[in-house]
Amino acid sequence: MNPLSPNAQAAPNRSPALADLAGPAPISIADREATQQARLQQVGQRPGTLNIRPGALKPRLFLMSYDDGTFTEEEYTDRYDALLAYLHQHPELKHWIDVRGYGDLPLIERMMQDFGLHPLQMEDVLNDYQRAKIDVFDDHRLFMVSRMTDFTANLEIDDDQLSIFTGPNYVLSFQDDYDDCLDTLRARIRSNFSTLRRHPVLYLAYALTDVVLDHYYPTMAAIGDYIEELEEAIFAERRPRRLLNRILRIKKDVVRFRRLVYPERDKIAEILRLPEETMPETLKIFYRDAYDHAIQTLDLAESYRDNISSLTDLYMSDQGNRMNEVMKVLTIISTIFIPLSFVVGLYGMNFQRDDGHGHYLPLNMPELYSPWGYPTVILIMGLVVATQLYYFYRKGWLTNR
Amino acid sequence: MNPLSPNAQAAPNRSPALADLAGPAPISIADREATQQARLQQVGQRPGTLNIRPGALKPRLFLMSYDDGTFTEEEYTDRYDALLAYLHQHPELKHWIDVRGYGDLPLIERMMQDFGLHPLQMEDVLNDYQRAKIDVFDDHRLFMVSRMTDFTANLEIDDDQLSIFTGPNYVLSFQDDYDDCLDTLRARIRSNFSTLRRHPVLYLAYALTDVVLDHYYPTMAAIGDYIEELEEAIFAERRPRRLLNRILRIKKDVVRFRRLVYPERDKIAEILRLPEETMPETLKIFYRDAYDHAIQTLDLAESYRDNISSLTDLYMSDQGNRMNEVMKVLTIISTIFIPLSFVVGLYGMNFQRDDGHGHYLPLNMPELYSPWGYPTVILIMGLVVATQLYYFYRKGWLTNR
Amino acid sequence: MNPLSPNAQAAPNRSPALADLAGPAPISIADREATQQARLQQVGQRPGTLNIRPGALKPRLFLMSYDDGTFTEEEYTDRYDALLAYLHQHPELKHWIDVRGYGDLPLIERMMQDFGLHPLQMEDVLNDYQRAKIDVFDDHRLFMVSRMTDFTANLEIDDDQLSIFTGPNYVLSFQDDYDDCLDTLRARIRSNFSTLRRHPVLYLAYALTDVVLDHYYPTMAAIGDYIEELEEAIFAERRPRRLLNRILRIKKDVVRFRRLVYPERDKIAEILRLPEETMPETLKIFYRDAYDHAIQTLDLAESYRDNISSLTDLYMSDQGNRMNEVMKVLTIISTIFIPLSFVVGLYGMNFQRDDGHGHYLPLNMPELYSPWGYPTVILIMGLVVATQLYYFYRKGWLTNR
Amino acid sequence: MNPLSPNAQAAPNRSPALADLAGPAPISIADREATQQARLQQVGQRPGTLNIRPGALKPRLFLMSYDDGTFTEEEYTDRYDALLAYLHQHPELKHWIDVRGYGDLPLIERMMQDFGLHPLQMEDVLNDYQRAKIDVFDDHRLFMVSRMTDFTANLEIDDDQLSIFTGPNYVLSFQDDYDDCLDTLRARIRSNFSTLRRHPVLYLAYALTDVVLDHYYPTMAAIGDYIEELEEAIFAERRPRRLLNRILRIKKDVVRFRRLVYPERDKIAEILRLPEETMPETLKIFYRDAYDHAIQTLDLAESYRDNISSLTDLYMSDQGNRMNEVMKVLTIISTIFIPLSFVVGLYGMNFQRDDGHGHYLPLNMPELYSPWGYPTVILIMGLVVATQLYYFYRKGWLTNR
Amino acid sequence: MNPLSPNAQAAPNRSPALADLAGPAPISIADREATQQARLQQVGQRPGTLNIRPGALKPRLFLMSYDDGTFTEEEYTDRYDALLAYLHQHPELKHWIDVRGYGDLPLIERMMQDFGLHPLQMEDVLNDYQRAKIDVFDDHRLFMVSRMTDFTANLEIDDDQLSIFTGPNYVLSFQDDYDDCLDTLRARIRSNFSTLRRHPVLYLAYALTDVVLDHYYPTMAAIGDYIEELEEAIFAERRPRRLLNRILRIKKDVVRFRRLVYPERDKIAEILRLPEETMPETLKIFYRDAYDHAIQTLDLAESYRDNISSLTDLYMSDQGNRMNEVMKVLTIISTIFIPLSFVVGLYGMNFQRDDGHGHYLPLNMPELYSPWGYPTVILIMGLVVATQLYYFYRKGWLTNR
C-alpha cells in the first residue's frame, strides 16, 4: 500500500442522496457555513495578519521530484529541513511540495520566508475561504486558488481550497485536509510513461487545476441523481418529510456550485490573457480546453437550476392536487349523504294525524301511512345516489384525476 | 436505391407529441442525459486522452469527390487505405470524407496522424458533448463543431454532434450515428447543376453548417405543435396524467434548445470576424445569412418559452378553477340541504303535549297538531330552496363560471 | 375615387377588443403563426433559392414619379416592360416602384436581373418573415426591411413585411398584401406642396420607415384599450370565458410587439452610424427623430407589459377571493345550522320515561315534558343564531369584504 | 403678492394617499394616459409638423433679466414684440424667457423664427411626451428636456415637460402649465445676493435641471408614505376595497418614475461627456453633483419597488390566512357538532321492543329504557367536546394563528 | 480607561434577532428611513448649501499624531485653535483628525476654510446619506465616503457615513455619531510595533476603509443567524406573529446591504485604476485585498438573498400545508359521520305499520321490528367506520403528512 495516499479508496461516485431520502438527516436551507465563516473573520486586524483557524490539522509535507527519467516520492512531515536540503541538492528536477494541514504557524512562517511568499497571499491560503483566483508576480511566478468540491451525505457541497504557488522548478501546494481528489494525478506522475513528466513544471500547476475541474463532474452527477430522486418523491404516495426543504436545499447547492465555478472560469480566462513570457502558448492550448470544461460545467449547473425550479413548481402544484383530492372526497360524501339525510329527516317529523282532540288531520304526512311508503323512499334515494355517482364519474372525480 | 444514404426516408415533420399525449410515455423533467454525461467524464485523466465510448458504432467511411464537371461517390468502410490512395491520386478534386461512427480507436488514431489533427480536438470529437464552436489553426485550417437536433417521441431533444475539419481541398466530417440530416445536401452535391460544386471546398463546410441550422426549424415546429396540444389539454374535460410534468418537460427542451443554438450563433459571429485569408468575404455573405437564421431560431425559442410560461400560469389557474368548482358543488348542496335538515329535525323533536301526569302542555309544538302543518312546512322549504337557487344563479355559480 | 388605393377606408382606430370580449372568438396563446412559419422553411435547400409561398398574390405594380414640379402615378400591373421603358425615359424624375404581391416568380426574377438585386436579399423579401434590418451595398445602395403591424379582431398582431431597395433615383418596395398602411404617405406625395418631393429619393425611403413606425401607435392604442377592458372584466360579476387566456394572449402580443420593434430600433441606430456618403447628415436628423419614436414605442410596450403582469396578479388574487367567498357562504350556513341541527336532534331522541316494565324514569329527557320546553328551545336557538350573525358581521364576512 | 407666481402656495408635502384610502377614488392599473397619448399621435404626418394639442393653454410670457447687480422681471403675455425689443436693447444682461402654455401656433412659429429653433425640436416641445434628453447644436447651443413630476390625489404620477433652449445670453424655457415647481429658483434669482446671478447663463440651465431633480424627492416621499399606509391596510380588520389594485397601482407609479429618471440620469451623464467648449469644467462639477442625486433617486425607487413586491407577497399570504381562518371556523364547528349529531340521531332511531305481534325484543335499544340513559349520553357528548376543544387549542386553532 | 474611546465595549457579535422573535417589536417592511430622508431633502436650494440636520450632535475633535517612533493622542473638543496650532508645529508627523458630530456650523465652515474643502463635498459630508464614493482632486488629495453598518435589535441595518479627506500629512475624518467601529484601528495605531505607523498617511485612509469593510462581516453574521431562526420558526408548532413580515424585513435588509456594498466595491475598483502619483502601487496591493473582501461580502449577500427567497417559498408552502391539514380534519370527520348520520336518520323515520285505519302495512320498515335490528345496524356502522379509517390511513391522512 502506498503510504502517501492516506485514503485513496475515497469513492467519488457514491450517491449520498439515496441514503438521505430515507434517513432523518436534518435538512436546513440556511447558509450555516457562510454565516460561520462571516463570524470567524476578525474585525479590524492588520491585513496580512496570519491566523491559524482553531482545530487546523498539523501539516503533513510530501515531496514528489521527477523529470523525464527520474522519480522519487517521500513524506517529509516534521522534517522540513530535510525537504529544503533535498530541494537544494536537486535543482535539475521538478518538485511538487504538497502541504496538507495548516496547524503549525512557525512552520508556515518559515516557508513564507524560504519560498518568498507575500503575507497577503499567505493570509488567503490560511483564510480558507477564497474565491478561485490567480495573482501574477513581477518575476512571472503565479499564485492560484482553486476550490475542490465534494457532495456530502448531508446534501451539502463541501468545498476545500487548493492554493498553488509556482516557482522556477517547483509547485508548492497547500490544502486544509489530509484527503483530497488529487490521487489520480499522483498516479499519473508516478507512471513511467507519463507525458506530464516531460512538460515544464508549469504544466503540473495546470494539471492540478484540471483535476479539480474534472472533479466537478462527479459532484454534478450526484446532484443530478438526487434531483431525479426528488422528482420521484414528489409523486410518491408517501412523501418524505420536509420535501420542499430538500428541494430548496439542493437548489442552494447548485447556486453555490455556480458561484464556485464562475470564478474558476474567470481565472482560466485571465490565464489565457497572460503574456507569453508568463504563460507560454503551448500551455495555453490546454487551458483553452479547461475553459471549455468550465463552461460545460456551468451549462450543466444552469440545467440543474432549471430542473429544480421545475421541481418547485411541481411540488406546489402537487400540493394543490392533494388539497383538491381531499376536497373531492369531502364533496362527494357530503353531496351524496346530506340530501339523503334530509329525506330521512323529513319522514322523521312528528306531524300527527290526530290533533289531540280527536280530529283527523289527513294532510299531515299521509306518506307514512301508505303501504308502499318506505320502499318508495328507499328507491328514490337509490336513484338520487346513482345520478350523483354518474355525475361525479362524468366529471372524472371518482378516478384519481 | 442509393446505398450511401442508409435511411433517407427519415421524416423530419412527424409530430411525436401527439402520440405521447395519449400513450403512457414516462415523462421526467430531470436532466438524465446531462447527469449521465457528467458521470461518464473520467476524472484525473491526461487531457487529450482518447476514450471510445462503450457501444460506439463501427466507423463507416464515405467519400464524395467533385469539381464543376466531375463527381464520384463511394463507400470506403474497412478500406481506409484505398481512400487515402484515392485522395492522393486526385489532388485536383474537392473531397468530402464523411466518417460515421467512432468505434475503432486504431483507425481514429491513423486518421489523426494522416490528417494532422490535434489530440485535444480529436478528444472533442469523440467526447461527443461539445458546444458548437470554431477553432482556427495557424495554417488557416478550421475545426468546427455543430450540433444536429431532433425531437424524439419521448419529448426529448436528441442532439448529435457534427465535427468538421477543413483542409486545402477536403472537408473531413465526423459524427456518431449512421443516420443524419445531411441527405438533402448530398443530393445537392450529386446534382449536375449544383452551384455548390463550383464554390471552393470551404463552401462545403458552410453548407454543412447551414443544413444543420435549417434542421432546427422542424424541431421547433414539432415543439410548437406540442405546445398547442398541451394548451388544449389544459382545458380538456379529462386531462392526461402528469400534465404539468409535460409542460415543464417541454420547457426544459426549449431551454436546452436555446443553449444549443446560442453557441452556434456565437460560432457564426466568430466566423464573421475571421480575417480575409482564413474566410474570404465572398463566403462571409452566406454566413451573414446563416447568422440571421440563427437569430430567428432564437427568437422563436424565446417565443416558445413565453408560451410555456403562460401555459404554466394557465395550468395553475385552472387547478384553482377546478378546486373552485368542487367547492361550489359542496357549498350549493350544503347550503340548500343543511337548513332544510334543520327544519325537518325541528319537527322531529319529541316535545310532548302531555307531561306524563295528564297535564296538557299546549305550547309544546302545536304545529304538529295543526291540520295544515305538514303542507305548510313543505311549502316553506320549497320557498327557501327557490330563493337559494335564485341567489346562486345570480352569482353565476350554477353555470360553469 | 382613387383607383390606386384599393381600400383606403381601412380604419386604424377600430377597437377589435370590445367585440371579442363579448363574442366567442377562439383564444389561443400558442404561437401558431410562428410554428407554421417554422414548418414552411425548407430544409437543406441552397441558400438564395427563391420560393414563392403557395397562395401568394399576383403582383400588382404601381409607379409614382415625381420631382418638385412634376407628378405622375400609374398602375403597371401586367405591363412591366412599359414600366421599365418609362423609368428609362425619365432618369431626371424620382420614382417609387411599388410592388404588392409576390405570386409571379418569372417577374420577380426579371426584376432581380434588371435592378441588380442579390438572390440572398430577394430570398429575404419572399421569405416574408424577416426581422427589421438594413444591408448596405458597396455602391451605397440600401436594402431595408420594416415590419408593418396591425391588431386584428382575433387579438393577434398581424405583421407584414415591407422590403425596400434604394437606387440612385428610385425606391423599389415589395410587400405581400394589396392593402397597406402607406396611403397617407401616398397622399403626401400627390400633394403639390409636399416638401417630400423636394428632398432626394433617399428621403422617400426614410418616409416609408417613418410611416411604418407611426403605425405602431394605433396598434399600441388598441392593445392599451383592450388591457383596460380586461381589467374591468376581472372585477365584473360575470367574467367572460377564458379570461386568463385573454390576458396571456395580450401579453404574448406585447412581447411579440417588442420583439418586432427592437430590431427596428437597432436598424435605425445602424443607419445613424452609416458614413456620410451613404446617409447624408441632413437625413440623419430625421432618423434621430425616428429613433426617439422607436424608443418611446418600446417604453410604452414595457408599460403595457407591467400592466399585464399586474393583471395576472389581480386575476389570481380575484380567483382566491372568489374561492374565499364560496367558502364563507358554506361556513356561515354550516356554522349556523349544524349546531341547531344538533339541538333539534337532541330532542328527537327517544329516551323513555317508562322502561317498558312500568318503572318511571324521571331523568330521561324531562325537558320534553316541561310546559315551556319547546318555546325555550326555540328561544335558545334564536339567541345562538343572533350571536353567530353578530360574530360574522364583526368579521366582515356578511358584507362582501 | 408676487403677480408672477400664479400659485406659489402649491404644497409639495401634502399626502394625497391618506385621503384616497378612505375615499372612493377609481383605482385603475391600466396605463390610460399612455394609451391616450398613443392615440393622439397622428399617423403618416410629415415629421416636424407642429400640432397644438386641443385644449392647450394660451401662452403666458415672463422675462427675468439679470446680472450681478441688475434685476428686472416682467410679464410680456400678448406683448411678444416688446419682449424681443427688450432683449435687443439689453445684450449685456442674462435673460430667462419663460413661456408657459402652447396654445398659440403663430406665436410659437414666430419664436422658432426669431430664436432659430429647429422644427423637429419644436415638435418635441409641443408633443409634450418626450423622454429627458439633450441635443447639442453645432454652435454649442443646447436643447434639453426635463420631466417635472407630481404625485396626485389619484395616486398618479403627473409629469410635465420642461423644455429648455440655451443661447449665448439667454435661456428659453417652455412648459405646458401655468403652475410649476420652479418658484424657489425664481426666488433665488430675485435675491440680491444670489451666486446664481454671478454665474454665466448656462448655470441657469443647470439650476433648472437641478430644481426638477430636487422635486423628485417629495414625489418619492409621498409614494413612501402611501406604501406604509398600504402595509398597515393589509393587516387591518377591514381592508379597503380593491387593496391589491392600489398596491399594483403604486407599483406602476414607481416603475414609471424609474422610467422617467433613467433618461434624466443618462442626460446628465451625456452632459458630463460634453467637450469643454460646450460645457465648461466649472459647471460640470455641479452636474456631477446632480448625477449623484439622480443615482440616489433611482436607488430609492429600487427600494420602493422591493417594498411593493414584498407588499404583494404579504397581501397574497394574508389572503391565504383569511381563507385559513374561514376554514378553521368551519372545521371546528363541523368537527364538534357532526359527531354529536350522529349520537343524538342514534337515539332518535325507532327500533321497537315489541315486534307488533307481542314479542318482546330486548336487544333493540335497551339504552332508551335505562334510568340513567339520557344523563349518560349528555355526559359522553360533553367529554367529546372537551377533548376536541383541547385538541384545537393545542393546534393553536382557537387563538388567531 | 481610555478617555478617547467613549464606548469601546460595543459588542459586534450580539444577536439581536433572538430577542425579537420572542418580543413584540413592530415589524414593518416599508422603507421608513428612506422616505424620511426623501422628505428632509430641501427643494430648490442652491447646490453646496450646508444644512445642519436638526438634532445633530455637537462636534468632538480628536487628534492622533504619530510616526514610526512618536505617538500622541488628545481630545481637542472646543479647542480647535489648539488643534490647528499643534498641526502647524508638527509638520513632520502624520495626523488623524477625527471629528465626530456635525452640530456646529461655524466650526465646520472654519474647517472648510482651513483645510481647503469644497462646499459640494462638505454638503455630501453633512447630507449624511451618500453612497460610498471617491473624488480625486487635482492636487492628488482624495475625498472618500464609506458607510459603516450595524444590525440593530429592530432588525434594521443602521448605517452611518464615514467621510475622509486626505492631505499631505493628515487624514481628516467626519462622522455623525460619537460611537463607531474604529476602535480596533485606534488600538493598532497606539501599539508601539504597528506597521501602520511606518506606512505613509495614505495607508491610514486605506486602514479606515478596510476596518469598515471588516465590519460588514458581523452584520452579515447577525443576519445569517436570524435567517436560521426564521427557518426554524416556519416549522414551529406555534409561529411567531407576522412571520412573513419578518422574512420580508430581513430580505429588505439584505437587499439594502447589497446596495451599500456595491458602491463600496466600485469605489475600490476606481481606486485601483488611479494613477501611480495619486495612489502608489505599494498601497494598491492592499486595496486589491480589500476588493476581494468586498466581492466576498457581496457573494455572501447573494447567498442570503437566495436563502430568504427559499424561506418565502417554504412559508407559502407551509401555509398551504396548514390549510391542507385543516381540510383533512374536516374531511375525515365529515366523511365518517355524515354517512352514519344518514343511517341513524333512516331508522328514525316514522313509517307506520298501521295506516290508521287498522290495515297492517308489512313493508314499512320491518327492520324496526326485527329482534336483531339494532345490533345489526350498530355492527354495520362499525364496519363502515373501520373501512374509512383504513382508507385514510392508506392515504397517509391520519399521520401528519
Side-chain angles (χ1 to χ4, degrees), chain E residues 65-287:
Chain E
S65 302
Y66 63 89
D67 64 6
D68 202 352
T70 332
F71 174 74
T72 68
E73 178 180 15
E74 196 166 351
E75 175 163 1
Y76 283 93
T77 308
D78 298 326
R79 295 189 297 138
Y80 175 60
D81 294 303
L83 176 86
L84 270 192
Y86 187 87
L87 288 180
H88 283 128
Q89 282 161 22
H90 295 281
E92 82 288 357
L93 292 178
K94 304 158 200 162
H95 304 279
W96 176 13
I97 308 136
D98 179 7
V99 186
R100 308 188 208 161
Y102 305 148
D104 183 353
L105 189 55
L107 177 67
I108 298 291
E109 281 171 346
R110 277 194 62 195
M111 294 186 81
M112 276 174 65
Q113 196 76 27
D114 297 338
F115 289 92
L117 314 175
H118 193 283
L120 281 172
Q121 267 131 9
M122 207 62 216
E123 194 192 4
D124 286 347
V125 168
L126 300 182
N127 184 12
D128 201 31
Y129 188 80
Q130 208 58 29
R131 291 155 56 98
K133 69 167 185 177
I134 180 164
D135 285 354
V136 184
F137 295 85
D138 292 341
D139 53 356
H140 305 307
R141 287 186 308 152
L142 305 173
F143 169 58
M144 288 197 259
V145 175
S146 294
R147 301 213 66 78
M148 305 179 287
T149 61
D150 206 358
F151 189 64
T152 72
N154 272 343
L155 304 185
E156 264 182 88
I157 289 189
D158 188 24
D159 63 309
D160 292 312
Q161 179 167 325
L162 176 67
S163 313
I164 304 171
F165 294 90
T166 67
N169 69 335
Y170 63 85
V171 162
L172 171 57
S173 74
F174 287 92
Q175 50 177 310
D176 190 23
D177 264 341
Y178 292 163
D179 303 345
D180 59 25
C181 60
L182 308 175
D183 287 333
T184 49
L185 178 64
R186 291 193 187 96
R188 271 166 60 201
I189 303 179
R190 283 179 203 122
S191 152
N192 243 334
F193 309 101
S194 173
T195 52
L196 194 151
R197 278 157 61 178
R198 254 164 282 141
H199 281 286
V201 77
L202 259 183
Y203 185 89
L204 177 60
Y206 157 71
L208 282 161
T209 304
D210 189 59
V211 169
V212 169
L213 260 174
D214 278 359
H215 247 83
Y216 291 162
Y217 285 100
T219 302
M220 282 321 249
I223 290 177
D225 286 346
Y226 193 60
I227 290 173
E228 279 187 48
E229 289 172 37
L230 286 175
E231 192 193 345
E232 282 161 30
I234 287 176
F235 294 106
E237 191 68 22
R238 287 172 168 278
R239 288 179 179 174
R241 286 193 62 234
R242 297 206 170 178
L243 183 51
L244 183 57
N245 249 33
R246 288 164 206 263
I247 296 173
L248 295 173
R249 169 84 223 177
I250 203 82
K251 175 181 166 195
K252 190 177 117 54
D253 287 342
V254 172
V255 168
R256 180 141 177 248
F257 189 83
R258 281 173 66 227
R259 227 170 267 143
L260 287 177
V261 182
Y262 266 115
E264 192 73 37
R265 187 200 60 174
D266 293 348
K267 181 181 91 175
I268 301 177
E270 209 174 324
I271 291 176
L272 290 175
R273 284 192 302 269
L274 288 181
E276 173 74 20
E277 51 268 44
T278 312
M279 183 60 66
E281 190 61 33
T282 49
L283 274 174
K284 276 188 188 170
I285 283 182
F286 292 97
Y287 276 110

Side-chain angles (χ1 to χ4, degrees), chain B residues 41-181:
Chain B
Q41 201 74 20
Q42 305 214 13
V43 173
Q45 257 190 347
R46 184 172 62 84
T49 311
L50 300 186
N51 295 303
I52 303 289
R53 220 187 31 196
L57 296 174
K58 177 169 162 304
R60 294 180 69 181
L61 279 77
F62 299 89
L63 179 69
M64 279 187 164
S65 303
Y66 63 89
D67 65 6
D68 202 351
T70 332
F71 172 76
T72 67
E73 177 179 15
E74 198 168 349
E75 176 163 1
Y76 283 93
T77 309
D78 299 326
R79 295 189 296 138
Y80 176 59
D81 295 300
L83 176 88
L84 271 191
Y86 188 87
L87 287 180
H88 285 126
Q89 282 161 23
H90 295 281
E92 81 288 358
L93 292 177
K94 304 158 200 161
H95 305 279
W96 174 14
I97 308 136
D98 178 6
V99 186
R100 308 189 208 160
Y102 305 147
D104 183 351
L105 189 56
L107 177 67
I108 298 291
E109 280 171 345
R110 276 195 64 194
M111 294 186 80
M112 277 175 65
Q113 196 76 26
D114 296 337
F115 290 92
L117 314 175
H118 194 282
L120 281 172
Q121 266 131 8
M122 207 61 215
E123 194 192 5
D124 287 347
V125 168
L126 299 182
N127 185 11
D128 202 30
Y129 189 80
Q130 209 57 30
R131 292 154 55 97
K133 69 167 186 175
I134 180 165
D135 286 355
V136 184
F137 296 83
D138 293 341
D139 52 357
H140 305 307
R141 286 187 308 152
L142 305 173
F143 170 58
M144 289 196 257
V145 174
S146 295
R147 300 211 67 77
M148 305 179 287
T149 62
D150 206 358
F151 190 65
T152 72
N154 273 345
L155 303 185
E156 265 181 86
I157 289 189
D158 187 23
D159 63 309
D160 292 312
Q161 179 167 324
L162 176 66
S163 313
I164 304 171
F165 294 90
T166 67
N169 69 336
Y170 63 85
V171 161
L172 171 57
S173 74
F174 287 92
Q175 50 179 311
D176 190 25
D177 265 341
Y178 291 164
D179 302 347
D180 59 25
C181 61

Side-chain angles (χ1 to χ4, degrees), chain C residues 299-314:
Chain C
D299 259 20
L300 244 133
E302 294 293 336
S303 264
Y304 287 156
R305 216 167 52 133
D306 287 343
N307 288 351
I308 292 166
S309 125
S310 290
L311 278 191
T312 313
D313 283 358
L314 276 180

Side-chain angles (χ1 to χ4, degrees), chain A residues 21 38 59 70 77 162 165-166 197-198 247 267 276 300 325 392:
Chain A
L21 266 176
T70 333
T77 309
L162 176 68
F165 293 90
T166 67
R197 278 158 60 177
R198 256 164 281 141
I247 296 173
K267 180 181 92 175
E276 173 74 19
L300 244 133
E325 213 184 325
F392 293 137

